[in-house]
Amino acid sequence: ATRAMQMLREEETNAMQLETIIQGDPAIAAKLLKVANSALFGGEAHITSVSQAIVRIGMDTTTQMVMGFAMENLFISDSKAIKKRMHNLWYHSVNVASIAAVIAKKIRIFDSGQAMLAGLIHDIGKVAILSYIDKNNYNISEVAIDNALSRLRAEIGSMILSKWNFPEVFISVCEGAEDWHRDQNLEADLGDLILIAQLHANIQNPVMLDVPPMFELPAFQKLGLNQWSPDTGLEIIHEAEKEVKDIVRLFAA
């Protein structure tokens, strides 16, 4: 996945080179075909090859999806307690990614594939913390784990994405994923979208405490959602229910 991202930055990269890398991982290639034929990206014709998927989705989105599929392998643990946390975190990330992709498609400000990847990586710092606790067999309380996740998730997530040479836009998403009143830019960015997607995900499956009302967030205003209420947002999500379910099914399988 990182090879694909690095290749995308090279001016002379073509779809055939990207196809070669993707076909080296049959599991990811299979999932990419499912994405290309899903309700989010699918057209009338059913496609059967990676090259066709790249054409339909585009090289940028293809690379983002490949990275997203590779992310799933990080949410693994041998510890029963940490494994449960990892499972819940992965489900939350997939749900946020799905909602972000659907909203992006509706408001037409962001690329849906980019929005999806942003949703998948927004809590990558938490994954690293949980993995560290698991691999070192630390016997610490649930409260201590929660505190570590809250205090360190943004900094560690930023370090990881920087190490993986992610673009700054994704690093910003990771840093501000729980900064509900972030207002760094005059125009909406992916970080704003992920905040709104998280609140919608929390309405469906409450996991976050002490979150502000959606209409109080700067992100809500900058995304042009002034006319939305939480109910209106849910109606839009329900209208695109098949798209969300398709995306969740792709990652949660």
Side-chain angles (χ1 to χ4, degrees):
T2 54
R3 281 181 61 199
M5 289 195 72
Q6 290 170 357
M7 178 177 288
L8 197 63
R9 294 192 178 95
E10 298 175 4
E11 294 182 2
E12 298 180 357
T13 298
N14 57 48
M16 187 178 297
Q17 292 171 312
L18 186 58
E19 178 186 9
T20 300
I21 290 180
I22 294 171
Q23 287 180 333
D25 190 318
I28 286 182
K31 286 193 173 187
L32 185 66
L33 288 177
K34 289 182 180 181
V35 167
N37 287 305
S38 70
L40 186 63
F41 297 105
E44 294 183 2
H46 184 81
I47 64 174
T48 58
S49 70
V50 171
S51 60
Q52 291 174 323
I54 294 173
V55 170
R56 174 173 289 178
I57 299 174
M59 289 183 61
D60 286 350
T61 302
T62 295
T63 303
Q64 291 155 4
M65 295 303 304
V66 168
M67 179 59 82
F69 290 135
M71 293 284 295
E72 184 176 4
N73 296 321
L74 302 177
F75 291 74
I76 298 173
S77 172
D78 295 325
S79 163
K80 185 176 181 180
I82 299 298
K83 185 176 183 178
K84 182 178 179 180
R85 281 182 176 264
M86 286 287 204
H87 173 80
N88 292 339
L89 185 57
W90 176 242
Y91 181 81
H92 169 71
S93 298
V94 170
N95 203 22
V96 170
S98 304
I99 294 172
V102 172
I103 295 177
K105 188 176 181 180
K106 295 293 181 182
I107 63 177
R108 299 182 180 182
I109 298 177
F110 307 102
D111 173 77
S112 294
Q114 192 178 44
M116 191 181 299
L117 181 55
L120 290 175
I121 59 89
H122 79 277
D123 267 339
I124 190 63
K126 291 184 178 180
V127 179
I129 296 166
L130 292 174
S131 295
Y132 185 80
I133 294 171
D134 181 30
K135 292 178 181 179
N136 288 278
N137 296 314
Y138 286 126
N139 184 21
I140 59 178
S141 70
E142 295 295 312
V143 173
I145 294 176
D146 287 338
N147 288 338
L149 293 176
S150 177
R151 291 178 56 194
L152 301 174
R153 55 156 301 282
E155 182 179 0
I156 291 180
S158 175
M159 292 169 63
I160 291 172
L161 295 186
S162 295
K163 180 70 174 179
W164 288 348
N165 295 316
F166 264 69
E168 181 61 36
V169 62
F170 290 106
I171 296 174
S172 179
V173 167
C174 189
E175 292 174 339
E178 293 184 1
D179 182 6
W180 301 108
H181 294 284
R182 71 187 289 272
D183 194 12
Q184 298 175 333
N185 304 309
L186 294 176
E187 297 183 354
D189 60 17
L190 275 177
D192 295 319
L193 177 64
I194 296 307
L195 288 175
I196 296 298
Q198 285 192 87
L199 289 186
H200 277 88
N202 198 52
I203 293 171
Q204 295 176 311
N205 183 31
V207 295
M208 297 177 291
L209 302 175
D210 301 324
V211 295
M214 191 179 304
F215 63 85
E216 291 184 1
L217 272 59
F220 186 78
Q221 307 294 328
K222 289 192 291 182
L223 288 168
L225 308 180
N226 308 55
Q227 304 303 316
W228 282 23
S229 67
D231 290 339
T232 304
L234 280 178
E235 288 172 7
I236 291 176
I237 297 302
H238 290 323
E239 289 174 7
E241 185 175 2
K242 186 178 187 304
E243 296 179 16
V244 174
K245 286 184 177 180
D246 281 349
I247 298 168
V248 171
R249 193 180 299 114
L250 286 170
F251 286 105

